[in-house]
């Protein structure tokens, strides 16, 4: 077996609490499919036959019992539950399943929506015998107005500095603005080996990593690393150039210790690999006297997508953008066949109507997503909005640029602009709500 | 052929009829044998024949290997060869945890098509290493014999590698050897024993044919290097580099001229390794060859394969070097291990060759790529040949692990090798 897929679905969605306080993040509907369906579909399309899904007990229960959550995948899902309050990072979760990991792993996050060609990432991993290979994408500006946010998005997001070499494939430097005190510090040894480095800041990390099995074993021994993105990846990128890398280093030593009885086999094969590299006339760089890869044994690669869809749905803005673009990823008809849509309503071309909906006369639905089992009564105008499952919208409402969470009830004649209505909330009839604080919507009405 | 001798006999006798009948039968049998001996053209040189392409597609479909499509406009003289693009690897048509093809073979195919493993020695060693992994992970299915089933398992892998990059002569010989070894495994042999035997066979083959052969060739070649020599080498040949480094260690005083050519520019790697040892080198491009040749005392060339009629198949440009060296009366010595000797006969570089990615010929300087839209120009074709053949009259000596032989003795070596096996 070459690669095992691991899907991390235990995240809390801490940056969009308004949406996730009732529905766990992996089951948020995007384009009327649960968020977790997108990475699972990606893995299935590429040819995986089984996936290890690390998730919470709540999600596991909802997947197995809730009929609205249909995953529709033919792969075998091996669900591993972890405690919600254990506050486990992604690396902790990998350590938790170390016994199940038998070969190299492909770690995917549940909030990734992409149509990337995965073979580019895996080819880098295979061809260069890399320790880490990851996917990144050029960030696109979010154009939709986010409900509850007045004015421009504040740049509170910390920037990531990613340094790649001249080919754009080898990862040389990775740091987050939060970890840097005054400026970007790059060691002279790296500059000597790679005199030309391109440092990019506008990249989105897709959280898709190919890791060697020895890295998982290394994690088992080093319990201080708890996040893949925050700690493990920068550590591996730094370790590429550390002085002890040319002699058997930490990761290889652990690997060799674990396979003591196979040591004579692997050493003979190592000799053959060394002979191949010696006889081959390929070098990854030119201009200095060193061998290919500068003799380094640990290599990290990145594939940067120029075009195509790649979103991580971890903020409200990303969620709205994803809902807009998700329909392009699958070929299902925009209006579900089981929805009851009356004839005198106007449904725009880029709207999606979920199963078992009831859309009454004289409604106008443009650029919106209507969830499963939603009832929309007469004379309602829905524009640029996301309506989740089980919502009831009474007559004469006008909903614009908003997100209505599941099981909410919008009273007759309400006028809602750029708001976020929480789950199971009721909006009084004839209310007028504009970009007010979203807390008013979700919490004040809960009484 | 048979000659029929007709005896004039006064009347029909049984001898006459018997003679005619026997001669007819022998003609038929000889004709049949002739057809058997004359091999059919291999399919990788018949790409412009749609029937052959269809047959290949069917075979690949049976083996569950995706078909790699040709890329770009092919120059008409070479339209019978495959031309692939490096930007369209075969792996985009395969499933990602590859189940049909063993992972180490997928990795090898990628490394071939991207040029990470290049050079016939490196390719053969990498191939044998991958086969070792395959054999190690192999389990005989029930009711099957290892000797037959393993050979059948290897066939799709070989097709896959062929699609990634056409096999070299050295790889072909290595594959023949392995297949023979596998078929010779007695059926009562236990699986573990058989596998260990095969692994040791592979190790021994690499050790004898590549590593020790290189040492033997160095020993012979160093006799030919004298102090004060100016040696010319072309491109990167692992064997020639080995010889020069060993000669330098044995304190011979010489200097080296490295000749290089686009688009591969492999001479830079040869230059780096020689300078790293401390050998004084000069570097020129092949266009400066006739300028530099008056200084040269010997030319050492590596070979990709040695053909049965004495022709040397090597990197494109080698025959040029041999020709100009002959004009200047500079001795040309070709160094080649015996496992690269091939039974093919070729007199020109057109019939069987390899076409590399034409986009390699594009050069980007100061942000501008001149030939960026070459596909739009209908009268322009880019040709990136990889090999060419050098006639034996331009080669003075071939240094092999069996000794120093003239080019025309190659068929003798092949015959001796076949007798051994």
């Amino acid at each position: 077996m070459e690669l095992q897929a691991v899907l991390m679905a235990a995240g809390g969605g801490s940056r969009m609490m308004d949406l996730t306080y009732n529905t766990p993040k992996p089951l948020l509907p995007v384009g009327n499919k649960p968020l977790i369906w997108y990475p699972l579909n990606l893995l299935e399309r590429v040819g995986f036959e089984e996936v290890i899904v690390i998730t919470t007990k709540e999600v596991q229960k909802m997947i197995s019992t809730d009929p609205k959550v249909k995953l529709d995948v033919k792969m075998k899902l091996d669900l591993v539950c972890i405690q919600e309050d254990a506050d486990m990072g992604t690396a902790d979760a990998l350590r938790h399943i170390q016994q199940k990991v038998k070969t190299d792993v492909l770690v995917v996050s549940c909030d990734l929506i992409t149509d990337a060609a995965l073979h580019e990432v895996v080819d880098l991993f295979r061809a260069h015998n890399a320790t880490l290979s990851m996917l990144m994408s050029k960030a696109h500006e979010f154009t939709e107005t986010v409900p509850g946010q007045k004015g421009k998005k504040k740049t509170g997001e910390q920037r990531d500095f990613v340094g790649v070499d001249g080919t754009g494939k080898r990862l040389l430097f990775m740091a987050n603005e939060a970890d840097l005190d005054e400026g970007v510090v790059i060691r002279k040894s790296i500059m000597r080996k790679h005199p030309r480095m391109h440092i990019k800041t506008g990249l989105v990390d897709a959280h898709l990593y190919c890791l060697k099995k020895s890295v998982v074993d290394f994690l088992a021994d080093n319990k201080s690393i708890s996040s893949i993105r925050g700690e493990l990846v920068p550590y591996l990128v730094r370790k590429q150039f550390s002085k002890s890398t040319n002699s058997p280093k930490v990761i290889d030593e652990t690997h060799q210790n674990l396979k003591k009885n196979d040591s004579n086999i692997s050493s003979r094969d190592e000799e053959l690999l060394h002979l191949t590299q010696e006889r081959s006339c390929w070098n990854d760089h030119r201009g200095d006297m060193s061998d290919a890869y500068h003799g380094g044994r640990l290599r990290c690669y990145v594939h940067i997508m120029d075009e195509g869809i790649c979103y991580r749905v971890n903020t409200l803005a990303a969620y709205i953008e994803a809902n807009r673009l998700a329909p392009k990823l699958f070929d299902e008809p925009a209006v579900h066949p089981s929805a009851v849509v009356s004839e005198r309503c106007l449904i725009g071309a880029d709207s999606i109507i979920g199963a078992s909906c009831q859309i009454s006369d004289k409604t106008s639905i443009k650029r919106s997503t209507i969830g499963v089992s939603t009832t929309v009564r007469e004379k309602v105008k829905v524009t640029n909005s996301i309506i989740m499952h089980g919502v009831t919208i009474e007559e004469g409402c006008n909903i614009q640029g908003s997100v209505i969470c599941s099981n909410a009830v919008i009273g007759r004649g309400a006028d809602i602009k750029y708001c976020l209505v929480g789950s199971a909330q009721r909006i009084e009839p004839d209310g007028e709500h504009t970009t007010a604080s979203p807390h008013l919507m979700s919490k004040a009405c809960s009484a | 052929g048979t000659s029929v001798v007709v005896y004039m006999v006064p009347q029909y006798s049984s001898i006459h009829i018997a003679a005619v009948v026997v001669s007819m039968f022998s003609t038929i049998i000889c004709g049949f044998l002739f057809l058997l001996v004359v091999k059919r053209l291999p399919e990788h040189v018949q790409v412009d024949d749609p029937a052959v392409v269809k047959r290949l597609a069917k075979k690949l479909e049976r083996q569950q290997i995706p078909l790699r499509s040709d890329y770009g406009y092919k120059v008409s003289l070479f339209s019978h060869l495959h031309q692939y693009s490096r930007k369209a690897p075969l792996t985009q048509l395969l499933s990602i945890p590859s189940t049909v093809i063993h992972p180490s073979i997928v990795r090898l195919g990628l490394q071939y098509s991207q040029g990470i493993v290049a050079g016939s020695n490196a390719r053969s060693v990498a191939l044998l290493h991958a086969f070792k992994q395959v054999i190690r992970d192999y389990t005989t299915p029930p009711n099957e014999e290892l000797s037959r089933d393993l050979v059948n398992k290897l066939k799709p892998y070989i097709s896959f590698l062929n699609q990634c990059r056409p096999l070299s002569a050295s790889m072909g010989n290595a594959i023949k050897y392995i297949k023979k070894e596998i078929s010779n495994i007695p059926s009562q042999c236990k699986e573990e024993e058989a596998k260990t035997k095969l692994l040791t066979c592979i190790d021994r083959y690499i050790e004898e044919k590549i590593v020790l052969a290189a040492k033997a060739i160095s020993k012979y070649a160093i006799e030919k290097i004298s102090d004060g020599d100016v040696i010319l080498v072309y491109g990167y040949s692992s064997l020639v580099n080995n010889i020069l480094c060993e000669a330098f260690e044995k304190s011979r005083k010489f200097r080296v001229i490295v000749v290089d050519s686009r688009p591969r520019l492999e001479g830079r790697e040869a230059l780096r390794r020689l300078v790293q040892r401390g050998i004084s080198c000069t570097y020129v491009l092949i266009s400066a060859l006739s300028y530099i040749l008056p200084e040269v005392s010997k030319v050492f060339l590596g070979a990709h394969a040695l053909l049965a009629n004495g022709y040397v198949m090597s990197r494109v440009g080698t025959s040029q070097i041999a020709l100009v060296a002959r004009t200047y009366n500079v001795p040309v010595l070709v160094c080649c291990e015996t496992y690269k000797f091939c039974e093919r006969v070729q007199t020109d570089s057109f019939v069987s060759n390899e076409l590399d990615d034409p986009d390699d010929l594009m050069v980007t300087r100061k942000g501008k790529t001149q030939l960026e839209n070459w596909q739009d120009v209908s009268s322009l074709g880019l040709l990136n040949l990889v090999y060419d053949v050098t006639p034996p009259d331009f080669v003075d000596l071939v240094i092999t692990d069996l000794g120093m032989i003239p080019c025309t003795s190659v068929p003798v070596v092949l015959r001796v090798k076949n007798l051994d096996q």
Side-chain angles (χ1 to χ4, degrees):
Chain A
M1 226 203 325
E2 193 188 353
L3 272 185
Q4 272 178 290
V6 175
L7 183 61
M8 299 283 184
S14 49
R15 277 190 275 181
M16 24 184 217
M17 284 314 291
D18 303 319
L19 290 174
T20 54
Y21 74 95
N22 208 19
T23 326
K25 187 168 85 155
L27 301 173
L28 275 180
V30 173
N32 287 340
K33 288 199 199 289
L35 183 56
I36 202 176
W37 181 86
Y38 290 88
L40 283 177
N41 179 257
L42 174 71
L43 292 172
E44 192 178 15
R45 256 186 297 130
V46 155
F48 276 95
E49 284 169 359
E50 32 180 78
V51 184
I52 301 175
V53 181
I54 302 182
T55 182
T56 56
K57 285 208 175 46
E58 191 192 339
V59 173
Q60 186 195 25
K61 205 166 54 137
M62 288 179 82
I63 290 180
S64 44
T65 57
D66 199 336
K68 283 206 285 281
V69 178
K70 278 185 289 114
L71 281 182
D72 272 349
V73 285
K74 298 192 201 71
M75 300 186 292
K76 195 176 86 149
L77 298 179
D78 182 6
L79 288 156
V80 173
C81 290
I82 57 172
Q83 301 286 12
E84 277 140 31
D85 47 359
D87 198 21
M88 272 185 146
T90 37
D92 295 324
L94 258 191
R95 200 177 298 128
H96 185 74
I97 56 160
Q98 192 217 348
Q99 297 303 323
K100 289 188 187 247
V101 169
K102 306 263 183 296
T103 67
D104 304 333
V105 286
L106 175 69
V107 178
V108 191
S109 172
C110 69
D111 53 10
L112 175 68
I113 297 185
T114 181
D115 64 349
L118 267 196
H119 74 91
E120 307 257 5
V121 179
V122 182
D123 279 351
L124 283 173
F125 184 69
R126 289 166 175 152
H128 298 278
N129 209 7
T131 311
L132 162 74
S133 169
M134 55 191 283
L135 176 69
M136 285 192 151
S137 163
K138 290 211 159 70
H140 302 281
E141 276 294 315
F142 293 143
T143 48
E144 306 283 336
T145 340
V146 179
Q149 259 186 18
K150 305 176 197 136
K152 280 212 168 92
K153 187 162 75 100
K154 54 189 187 302
T155 48
E157 305 272 328
Q158 299 279 351
R159 283 180 299 176
D160 274 325
F161 292 93
V162 178
V164 292
D165 75 340
T167 59
K169 299 276 177 197
R170 180 88 190 264
L171 193 53
L172 301 175
F173 178 77
M174 175 171 283
N176 190 285
E177 199 173 336
D179 298 328
L180 301 169
D181 291 325
E182 307 164 327
V184 175
V185 176
I186 300 180
R187 300 227 300 261
K188 246 200 233 171
S189 58
I190 305 180
M191 292 307 292
R192 236 179 269 129
K193 290 182 185 166
H194 298 271
R196 297 194 128 203
M197 196 191 300
H198 300 264
I199 301 200
K200 303 177 190 247
T201 49
L203 292 181
V204 168
D205 184 351
H207 264 243
L208 191 143
Y209 307 106
C210 272
L211 293 167
K212 263 217 165 99
K213 180 172 185 309
S214 48
V215 176
V216 181
D217 298 333
F218 166 75
L219 273 181
D221 290 337
N222 288 48
K223 300 204 192 310
S224 58
I225 298 185
S226 78
S227 155
I228 296 184
R229 175 67 180 88
E231 291 163 45
L232 182 61
V233 171
Y235 173 79
L236 288 175
V237 173
R238 269 199 314 271
K239 216 46 173 106
Q240 284 179 104
F241 303 106
S242 83
K243 285 202 179 59
S244 56
T245 306
N246 289 332
S247 45
K249 52 184 181 19
V250 180
I251 294 181
D252 263 3
E253 262 171 8
T254 327
H255 186 56
Q256 274 164 20
N257 287 338
L258 289 166
K259 294 180 87 183
K260 273 202 187 82
N261 43 352
D262 291 335
S263 58
N264 47 348
I265 299 177
S266 49
S267 67
R268 184 78 189 94
D269 281 355
E270 281 286 313
E271 270 175 44
L272 281 186
L273 279 178
H274 183 72
L275 183 64
T276 310
Q277 212 173 345
E278 206 189 295
R279 296 300 173 108
S280 173
C281 61
W282 181 82
N283 205 327
D284 65 327
H285 65 279
R286 56 186 173 87
D288 63 358
M289 283 297 202
S290 11
D291 290 331
Y293 306 127
H294 300 278
R297 309 248 297 248
L298 201 153
R299 301 179 272 277
C300 299
Y301 284 87
V302 62
H303 172 68
I304 301 181
M305 278 170 68
D306 279 329
E307 23 178 61
I309 305 174
C310 179
Y311 288 102
R312 285 211 51 230
V313 179
N314 52 5
T315 58
L316 190 53
Y319 177 73
I320 295 178
E321 190 81 12
N323 258 296
R324 208 60 70 229
L325 291 171
K328 296 203 185 99
L329 282 179
F330 50 89
D331 286 322
E332 286 173 17
V335 178
H336 198 276
S338 70
V340 173
V341 177
S342 83
E343 283 174 7
R344 284 190 288 166
C345 62
L346 213 71
I347 300 185
D350 33 8
S351 301
I352 308 178
I353 315 286
S356 322
C357 279
Q358 280 186 319
I359 316 283
S360 316
D361 291 340
K362 297 201 189 131
T363 51
S364 150
I365 300 178
K366 291 198 184 104
R367 296 188 81 215
S368 303
T369 312
I370 312 280
V372 169
S373 311
T374 301
T375 316
V376 179
R377 304 243 191 265
E378 290 86 11
K379 297 202 192 120
V380 167
K381 255 178 67 162
V382 180
T383 332
N384 265 344
S385 303
I386 300 169
I387 319 275
M388 293 200 206
H389 310 305
V391 172
T392 312
I393 306 182
E394 305 286 349
E395 294 112 20
C397 288
N398 184 357
I399 303 176
Q400 210 176 337
S402 307
V403 178
I404 317 274
C405 297
S406 22
N407 303 319
V409 176
I410 313 292
R412 190 184 304 190
D415 187 13
I416 303 179
K417 286 198 176 66
Y418 304 112
C419 296
L420 191 152
V421 177
S423 191
Q425 301 304 323
R426 295 187 62 92
I427 305 292
E428 313 100 30
D430 295 318
E432 242 193 62
H433 306 278
T434 48
T435 320
S437 168
H439 308 304
L440 276 181
M441 300 280 106
S442 41
K443 292 191 180 118
C445 311
S446 63
Chain B
T2 49
S3 53
V4 179
V5 177
V6 178
Y7 293 96
M8 291 300 292
V9 289
Q11 71 269 9
Y12 283 124
S13 69
S14 51
I15 305 171
H16 176 88
I17 297 170
V20 170
V21 168
V22 164
S23 57
M24 260 173 50
F25 267 125
S26 39
T27 333
I28 295 171
I29 290 170
C30 273
F32 184 60
L33 283 174
F34 180 70
L35 277 174
L36 278 181
V37 161
V38 168
K39 289 190 188 136
R40 269 214 302 254
L41 274 178
E43 54 212 1
H44 68 268
V45 295
Q46 287 186 287
V47 176
D48 52 352
D49 186 353
V52 174
V53 174
K54 220 166 50 168
R55 232 185 307 144
L56 172 70
K58 259 201 261 180
K59 178 176 104 165
L60 289 178
E61 208 180 338
R62 231 180 328 128
Q63 294 174 333
Q64 293 177 291
I65 311 273
L67 176 69
R68 196 170 182 192
S69 42
D70 283 357
Y71 166 77
Y73 170 73
K74 281 193 268 192
V75 171
S76 55
L77 272 175
F78 294 93
S79 57
H80 59 282
L81 299 170
H82 282 294
Q83 183 172 277
Y84 300 126
S85 167
R86 200 154 293 143
K87 288 198 276 286
L90 204 48
T91 46
Q92 69 191 35
L93 303 164
L94 285 177
S95 70
I96 284 212
S98 63
T99 38
V100 174
I101 307 175
H102 193 271
S104 51
I105 301 275
V106 176
R107 167 175 299 166
L108 188 63
L110 260 178
Q111 288 178 330
Y112 282 164
S113 60
Q114 289 180 6
I116 296 176
V117 174
S120 57
N121 278 340
R123 288 210 277 167
S124 312
V125 174
L127 176 73
L128 292 170
H129 167 78
F131 276 175
K132 276 178 76 169
Q133 315 279 60
V134 170
I135 291 174
R136 215 172 270 138
D137 292 338
Y138 171 77
T139 40
T140 327
N143 303 331
E144 292 277 358
E145 269 193 34
L146 183 134
S147 53
R148 254 170 290 167
D149 188 60
L150 186 53
V151 177
N152 287 340
K153 269 264 158 49
L154 290 181
K155 285 203 181 120
Y157 299 163
I158 295 167
S159 309
F160 173 75
L161 292 175
N162 210 351
Q163 292 282 89
C164 288
R165 191 179 164 189
L167 297 180
S168 66
S170 54
M171 284 165 71
N173 288 345
I175 291 173
K176 259 192 252 174
Y177 172 77
I178 291 191
K179 282 191 178 166
K180 194 176 69 81
E181 285 297 313
I182 296 176
S183 329
N184 286 348
I185 301 245
S187 44
Q188 59 267 29
C189 201
K190 276 203 292 273
E191 187 177 312
E192 275 311 310
E193 229 180 277
K195 289 211 274 198
T196 340
K197 188 155 163 291
L198 284 174
L199 295 175
T200 32
C201 273
I202 293 181
D203 282 333
R204 213 181 49 219
Y205 184 82
I206 295 178
E207 188 65 28
E208 277 174 26
K209 306 280 183 181
I210 301 178
V211 180
L212 288 177
K215 286 208 183 87
I217 294 177
S218 304
K219 201 163 64 87
Y220 290 126
I222 288 173
E223 291 168 31
K224 291 289 179 184
I225 300 179
S226 24
D227 284 344
D229 259 348
V230 180
I231 299 178
L232 186 126
V233 296
Y234 176 63
Y236 177 84
S237 165
S238 52
L239 192 52
V240 173
N241 257 38
N242 205 337
I243 294 173
L244 294 177
C245 294
E246 291 218 4
F248 190 71
E249 262 162 52
K250 295 220 165 65
S251 325
R252 292 275 200 277
K253 308 264 177 300
F254 59 92
R255 68 183 178 93
V256 177
I257 299 182
V258 179
V259 178
D260 203 5
S261 72
R262 275 194 68 224
R264 286 180 173 236
L265 291 172
E266 292 168 329
R268 294 185 298 194
E269 186 60 20
L271 183 70
R272 176 188 77 80
R273 291 182 197 211
L274 293 174
V275 173
Q276 205 179 29
R277 295 298 189 106
I279 304 176
S280 50
C281 299
T282 311
Y283 177 89
V284 290
L285 286 181
I286 195 169
S287 38
L289 186 61
S290 51
Y291 172 76
I292 205 100
L293 248 159
E295 300 178 11
V296 174
S297 60
K298 291 190 179 68
V299 176
F300 272 81
L301 296 174
H304 171 257
L306 232 60
L307 304 174
N309 55 347
Y311 278 64
V312 177
M313 183 173 192
S314 185
R315 182 70 77 226
V316 64
T318 314
S319 61
Q320 185 96 73
I321 305 239
L323 172 66
V324 184
R326 164 62 92 216
T327 323
Y328 281 87
N329 284 322
V330 175
V332 173
L333 293 94
V334 169
C335 310
C336 183
E337 298 97 333
T338 44
Y339 87 107
K340 290 186 194 160
F341 283 22
C342 177
E343 278 163 9
R344 224 169 44 201
V345 169
Q346 224 176 299
T347 52
D348 58 68
S349 318
F350 294 88
V351 169
S352 179
N353 208 326
E354 186 185 327
L355 292 179
D356 208 356
D357 191 351
D359 291 338
D360 285 349
L361 291 172
M362 299 199 292
V363 171
T364 308
R365 283 195 229 281
K366 296 191 185 151
K368 270 202 316 186
T369 314
Q370 292 294 0
L371 287 168
E372 200 160 14
N373 301 317
W374 69 272
Q375 308 242 34
D376 301 335
V377 182
S378 56
S379 50
L380 180 64
L382 294 189
L383 179 66
N384 192 354
L385 276 182
V386 183
Y387 298 115
D388 72 2
V389 285
T390 311
D393 3 331
F394 296 154
V395 177
D396 292 304
L397 196 64
V398 176
I399 308 179
T400 70
D401 38 323
L402 294 175
M404 300 195 260
I405 57 175
C407 236
T408 43
S409 307
V410 170
V412 178
V413 171
L414 276 172
R415 201 178 41 190
V416 167
K417 232 176 30 149
N418 285 339
L419 275 179
D420 274 344
Q421 289 167 354

